[in-house]
């Protein structure tokens, strides 16, 4: 089966749920994913649960710095921080650490809808003139992309697997809510499941 | 005191305990009291020292480290503890182990009054957040305390903090025209 075709919603912006399903299509065990709280977690869960997914239900701003520690610990794996604009705006310092640390296996993809989806669709700063891609350039990311079209979005999966990190992409997605696909909430379970799958037995 | 005791540096005791415990990642925000330890961590082949710009990023980084199989430790000063509070919920909820080594400000001999609110409440903040605290005032207690804190964190899947008292670390000198180095 081929990867699902990325489409736009009626507002002319990319459908987040299909985008993430496309990114996760036929994934290998060499991909480790940390998802920022809220809709990125639901998108990742909807694409299919996997032991190498770590879903944050809180710790806002923590997705990128958590991915730094994971990427440093697992240099032969690809580590993806999949998060939203609101989450990453709370942790811009984590982008600075990622740029400075220079881990070549670290990729950050921001699903940027310009909204705080969990709290009533208030505008985030990306809808008020803040440019995350330029921010990532300035903070030392080696490769950066701004994705607006479905053609560019379709290239993202290969890019994410092969680009030399630290790499950053912001995808301009539709603010239309995609529904809650709730991942497991037990953090200790998620942690132990992830570590066990990497070959570390529970203590 | 013997010459060996005179020249012995408790900062080396921390470094050696970190190496012996198999710590692979040191996440830190720069601090004068940890200067030598930070330099040794960067120079060591056994571990990676990761400089972050705010302490909550160090917490999340060490959660990621353990997820990927690396033991880690956090170095910061007491003023940074306030920055960590919400991110500590990640460690509590997921039972991520994390030893922390905190150089205290705002207490013994402090000149800078702006350090006092956070320094005076560091332990209380930590304890409310579920962090077990060990306070060290004497150089000869550092090695054992650091070992015990690391063991407790990794045997108990919990957070532990060693609070290195300002009396031990040294008081930062403030004087017009001075570089403001720590006395030690």
């Amino acid at each position: 089966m081929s990867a699902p075709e990325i489409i736009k919603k009626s507002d002319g912006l990319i459908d987040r749920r299909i985008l993430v399903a496309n990114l996760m299509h036929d994934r290998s065990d060499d991909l480790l994913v940390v998802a920022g709280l809220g809709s990125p977690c639901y998108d990742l869960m909807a694409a299919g649960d996997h032991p190498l997914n770590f879903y944050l239900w809180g710790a806002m701003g923590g997705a990128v710095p958590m991915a730094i520690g994971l990427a440093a610990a697992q240099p032969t794996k690809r580590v993806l921080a999949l998060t939203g604009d609101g989450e990453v705006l709370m942790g811009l310092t984590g982008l600075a650490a990622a740029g400075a640390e220079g881990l070549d296996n670290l990729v950050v993809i921001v699903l940027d809808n310009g909204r705080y989806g969990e709290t009533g669709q208030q505008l985030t700063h990306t809808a008020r003139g803040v440019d995350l891609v330029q921010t990532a350039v300035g903070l030392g990311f080696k490769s950066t992309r701004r994705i607006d079209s479905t053609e560019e979005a379709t290239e993202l999966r290969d890019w994410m697997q092969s680009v030399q990190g630290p790499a950053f992409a912001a995808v301009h997605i539709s603010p239309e809510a995609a529904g809650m696909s709730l991942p497991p909430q037990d953090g200790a379970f998620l942690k132990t499941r992830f570590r066990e799958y990497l070959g570390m037995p529970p203590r | 005191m013997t010459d060996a005791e005179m020249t012995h540096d408790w900062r080396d005791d921390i470094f050696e305990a970190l190496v012996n415990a198999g710590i692979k990642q040191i996440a830190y925000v720069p601090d004068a009291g940890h200067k030598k330890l930070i330099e040794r961590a960067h120079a060591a082949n056994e571990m990676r020292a990761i400089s972050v710009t705010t302490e909550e990023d160090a917490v999340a980084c060490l959660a990621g480290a353990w997820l990927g199989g690396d033991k880690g430790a956090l170095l910061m000063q007491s003023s940074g503890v306030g920055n960590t509070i919400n991110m500590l919920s990640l460690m509590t909820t997921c039972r991520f182990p994390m030893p922390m080594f905190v150089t205290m400000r705002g207490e013994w001999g402090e000149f800078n009054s702006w350090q006092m609110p956070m320094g005076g409440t560091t332990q209380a903040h930590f304890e409310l957040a579920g962090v077990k605290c060990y306070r060290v005032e004497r150089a000869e207690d550092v090695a054992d305390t650091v070992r015990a804190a690391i063991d407790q964190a990794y045997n108990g899947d919990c957070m532990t903090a060693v609070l290195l008292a300002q009396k031990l670390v040294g008081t930062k000198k403030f004087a017009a025209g001075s570089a403001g180095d720590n006395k030690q």
Side-chain angles (χ1 to χ4, degrees), chain A residues 75-145:
Chain A
T76 65
K77 307 276 191 186
R78 197 131 277 252
V79 175
L80 170 66
L82 178 72
T83 190
D85 46 313
E87 203 272 351
V88 86
L89 282 163
M90 192 174 278
L92 287 178
T93 51
L95 292 180
E101 204 56 32
L103 293 156
D104 63 9
N105 59 333
L106 176 65
V107 180
V108 177
I109 295 180
V110 176
L111 306 172
D112 182 2
N113 61 4
R115 301 288 189 282
Y116 290 103
E118 292 295 299
T119 58
Q121 296 286 89
Q122 298 91 342
L123 297 183
T124 70
H125 292 54
T126 65
R128 301 171 55 218
V130 171
D131 186 326
L132 286 175
V133 177
Q134 290 302 315
T135 302
V137 170
L139 292 177
F141 278 77
K142 285 207 165 57
S143 179
T144 58
R145 298 190 69 163

Side-chain angles (χ1 to χ4, degrees), chain A residues 2-202:
Chain A
S2 59
E5 185 185 349
I6 299 169
I7 60 166
K8 290 192 166 181
K9 306 290 277 188
S10 56
D11 57 11
L13 300 171
I14 289 169
D15 181 315
R16 62 184 305 151
R17 197 55 48 99
I18 297 176
L19 169 77
V20 173
N22 179 286
L23 291 175
M24 292 300 128
H25 178 73
D26 204 19
R27 67 185 277 184
S28 81
D29 286 349
D30 289 331
L31 179 67
L32 316 180
V33 187
V34 177
L37 83 175
S39 295
C41 280
Y42 313 148
D43 296 330
L44 185 63
M45 183 67 188
D49 191 21
H50 194 288
L52 298 178
N53 288 348
F54 193 87
Y55 309 95
L56 291 167
W57 278 82
M60 189 165 177
V64 172
M66 191 168 177
I68 294 171
L70 181 58
Q74 291 285 333
T76 65
K77 307 276 191 186
R78 197 131 277 252
V79 175
L80 170 66
L82 178 72
T83 190
D85 46 313
E87 203 272 351
V88 86
L89 282 163
M90 192 174 278
L92 287 178
T93 51
L95 292 180
E101 204 56 32
L103 293 156
D104 63 9
N105 59 333
L106 176 65
V107 180
V108 177
I109 295 180
V110 176
L111 306 172
D112 182 2
N113 61 4
R115 301 288 189 282
Y116 290 103
E118 292 295 299
T119 58
Q121 296 286 89
Q122 298 91 342
L123 297 183
T124 70
H125 292 54
T126 65
R128 301 171 55 218
V130 171
D131 186 326
L132 286 175
V133 177
Q134 290 302 315
T135 302
V137 170
L139 292 177
F141 278 77
K142 285 207 165 57
S143 179
T144 58
R145 298 190 69 163
R146 165 83 193 183
I147 308 285
D148 289 295
S149 71
T150 53
E151 293 74 23
E152 293 166 316
T154 303
E155 296 165 5
L156 201 56
R157 185 163 153 265
D158 283 344
W159 176 84
M160 149 186 117
Q161 304 279 1
S162 59
V163 66
Q164 185 181 345
F168 180 96
V171 188
H172 193 190
I173 57 161
S174 169
E176 197 176 305
M180 289 187 180
S181 176
L182 300 180
Q185 194 180 135
D186 182 337
F189 163 75
L190 291 168
K191 171 194 70 175
T192 303
R193 180 177 75 158
F194 195 108
R195 284 169 49 88
E196 187 176 35
Y197 200 80
L198 288 178
M200 295 168 265

Side-chain angles (χ1 to χ4, degrees), chain B residues 56-184:
Chain B
E56 66 265 43
D57 289 357
V59 174
C61 179
L62 294 176
W66 183 244
L67 198 61
D70 274 359
K71 285 184 176 178
L74 196 166
L75 311 182
M76 62 180 153
Q77 77 170 224
S78 51
S79 55
V81 169
N83 292 348
T84 66
I85 299 297
N86 185 51
M87 203 59 78
L88 297 181
S89 66
L90 168 64
M91 316 310 267
T92 304
T93 307
C94 303
R95 298 186 63 221
F96 279 117
M98 182 171 64
M100 297 179 273
F101 303 99
V102 181
T103 51
M104 295 303 296
R105 293 287 306 271
E107 46 180 44
W108 179 277
E110 179 66 58
F111 172 81
N112 184 350
S113 58
W114 293 49
Q115 287 281 354
M116 292 173 189
M118 193 65 235
T121 57
T122 293
Q123 184 160 350
H125 277 101
F126 259 158
E127 286 174 349
L128 271 175
V131 178
K132 294 170 181 65
C133 295
Y134 300 97
R135 185 175 167 87
V136 186
E137 308 232 344
R138 302 188 309 164
E140 57 265 40
D141 294 333
V142 169
D144 283 349
T145 309
V146 168
R147 276 197 296 272
I150 294 172
D151 284 349
Q152 184 165 46
Y154 283 99
N155 291 336
D157 290 330
C158 63
M159 295 181 282
T160 56
V162 176
L163 308 181
L164 300 154
Q166 193 158 353
K167 187 177 180 183
L168 168 72
V169 175
T171 305
K172 183 172 176 172
K173 298 289 188 204
F174 286 90
S178 144
D181 289 339
N182 270 39
K183 76 177 181 188
Q184 291 185 355

